[in-house]
Structure formats: structure tokens, C-alpha cells
Amino acid sequence: GQQVKQSSPSLTVQEGGISILNCDYENDMFDYFAWYKKYPDNSPTLLISVRSNVDKREDGRLTVFLNKSGKHFSLHITASQPEDTAVYLCAAGNTGYQNFYFGKGTSLTVIP
Amino acid sequence: DTTVKQNPRYKLARVGKPVNLICSQTMNHDTMYWYQKKPNQAPKLLLFYYDKILNREADTFEKFQSSRPNNSFCSLYIGSAGLEYSAMYLCASSRRGGARDTQYFGPGTRLLVL
């Protein structure tokens, strides 16, 4: 089965609003969580990551929230801008293993 | 230079013919990965090299091969391409490996098998 799931294939947000992207994972041994941004025809770029010893990490307009008991993490983008429009991939893995598991992606559109 | 390069960017192959995709990085990273990405699907890890040790995922074990002649280069080899191999192939590298290391991705090779 799919280890990491993004249930929303797409999301549309008004400029200036908050974009909330969600991700669920299956394996409660995962201890590393990341969000990647992918423009059309470009490879994924790491945006922000968090380890399981924290529940929240902020970096500018980006905040990752981790809910370990619910096996869920999310990415909040405040003051969303049209240039935030892209596909966002979540990924999770276990420290010591070499690979991540990726979600299918959520396509975010920020409209002016 | 933190870029990962992939060649070719686009590849057209005939069913039953071999395909060889190339990836390179000059960051002296220990680990190099190959992912397969199909539309509306998550990137799927195919295999990775940690130093000279090749690790292949169980369900793709017989379909893909790889070589890493030196630290900078890693190839993905398909012996006999089938239609189902049409996809984007992403190469990535990380300094040591392990889930906490940042993976740097290449631009991908889009493979179309006819």
C-alpha cells in the first residue's frame, strides 16, 4: 500500500490567504518528514523538513506541523503569492534507511 | 555546484530495445538514487547506490540495473524496454544517505517507449 498519502490532488487559494497542504503516513517508525516544491518540467526542490522530535518548524512564510499520534503532517504557507503556484510533494522516511516515500502531490494554485 | 545532471533529457525507445540513462554530480555525495515518476503517481524509488553498494527495491529488482563506475556517475539500465517503462526518471544524490540527508534532484529524463 501507499506509505505516504496526499488526499487532495489540488488546492486553489486567493492571493494573501493561507495555503494548507496535508499529508498522512502509514509507518509510525517514520521520524523524518519533508515538503518538496515542483514546478512544471522541473525536478523537486526541498522546501522544508522536520524531525519527529519537534511538532512544528517555521521558516519564513512556511510552517510544518507534525502530529505523530495522528500520523499526519501539514505545510502552511502564509500570505500566499502567485509564485507559490506549483505541485507540492510530501515525503517521509526513517532515519538510518536510505529512502523516502513520496506522496502523489498536491497542485496549488494561488490566484491574484 | 549543487546541481545533479541527467542525460539525455528526452529519450525515445522501441519496445524490446535497451535504454541507458546517465546521472552525474560533482558534490562528492555518497549516495545516488533513481526514481520513476508516472503522471498522477508518487515518485517510486527504483534503486540506490551507497558508495559502491547497490540496493534495489524488491518489486523492481529484475527490471532495472545500474552501475556506478565512480563517485560522480550513476547509470540506470533497462535491458528490454516495455511500454510500461514510459515515465520520467529522476536521479538524486545525497551527501551520506539516510532519511535526514537532503536529496538533490536532477531535472529528469523523460522516456517514451513505443
Side-chain angles (χ1 to χ4, degrees):
Chain A
Q2 207 175 337
Q3 293 279 341
V4 177
K5 296 175 187 171
Q6 292 178 255
S7 54
S8 298
S10 63
L11 175 68
T12 301
V13 173
Q14 200 75 35
E15 183 176 4
I18 298 177
S19 302
I20 300 176
L21 303 158
N22 294 299
C23 191
D24 297 293
Y25 60 95
E26 292 291 317
N27 191 335
D28 54 13
M29 296 297 291
F30 287 165
D31 61 0
Y32 179 76
F33 309 90
W35 284 95
Y36 286 77
K37 184 176 183 180
K38 183 180 178 302
Y39 294 100
D41 296 328
N42 283 334
S43 50
T45 300
L46 178 67
L47 275 181
I48 187 169
S49 62
V50 66
R51 291 161 53 182
S52 60
N53 60 341
V54 297
D55 295 328
K56 177 182 170 182
R57 182 183 174 194
E58 290 181 72
D59 184 0
R61 294 188 295 115
L62 306 178
T63 304
V64 177
F65 293 93
L66 175 62
N67 175 353
K68 291 187 286 293
S69 61
K71 292 193 280 188
H72 175 88
F73 61 109
S74 61
L75 174 67
H76 291 216
I77 306 173
T78 58
S80 298
Q81 300 163 7
E83 48 266 39
D84 294 329
T85 295
V87 173
Y88 289 81
L89 297 168
C90 65
N94 179 273
T95 304
Y97 290 96
Q98 300 284 352
N99 51 314
F100 282 129
Y101 295 91
F102 282 89
K104 290 185 179 183
T106 296
S107 177
L108 172 65
T109 302
V110 180
I111 47 179
Chain B
D1 183 6
T2 58
T3 56
V4 176
K5 296 182 172 63
Q6 290 189 240
N7 287 298
R9 293 294 309 276
Y10 302 91
K11 175 73 178 174
L12 185 63
R14 295 292 181 190
V15 170
K17 296 297 185 183
V19 175
N20 198 41
L21 308 178
I22 303 295
C23 178
S24 65
Q25 50 84 18
T26 54
M27 296 176 277
N28 201 32
H29 281 176
D30 285 338
T31 307
M32 295 183 75
Y33 310 79
W34 280 100
Y35 292 86
Q36 182 190 64
K37 173 81 171 70
K38 293 187 175 182
N40 302 315
Q41 293 183 21
K44 177 180 172 55
L45 179 70
L46 299 176
L47 52 87
F48 65 89
Y49 261 100
Y50 176 67
D51 194 12
K52 293 181 174 61
I53 301 171
L54 175 61
N55 299 268
R56 285 186 282 182
E57 292 291 282
D59 58 345
T60 57
F61 189 84
E62 295 177 349
K63 296 181 179 179
F64 299 92
Q65 295 175 30
S66 183
S67 68
R68 193 176 185 187
N70 56 55
N71 177 268
S72 300
F73 287 88
C74 187
S75 66
L76 180 70
Y77 181 75
I78 300 166
S80 176
L83 295 175
E84 70 277 14
Y85 287 86
S86 292
M88 174 74 85
Y89 289 85
L90 294 169
C91 174
S93 71
S94 64
R95 192 163 61 95
R96 289 198 181 88
R100 287 189 225 171
D101 262 0
T102 300
Q103 292 190 15
Y104 296 84
F105 282 85
T109 295
R110 193 176 293 278
L111 172 66
L112 180 61
V113 181
L114 299 174

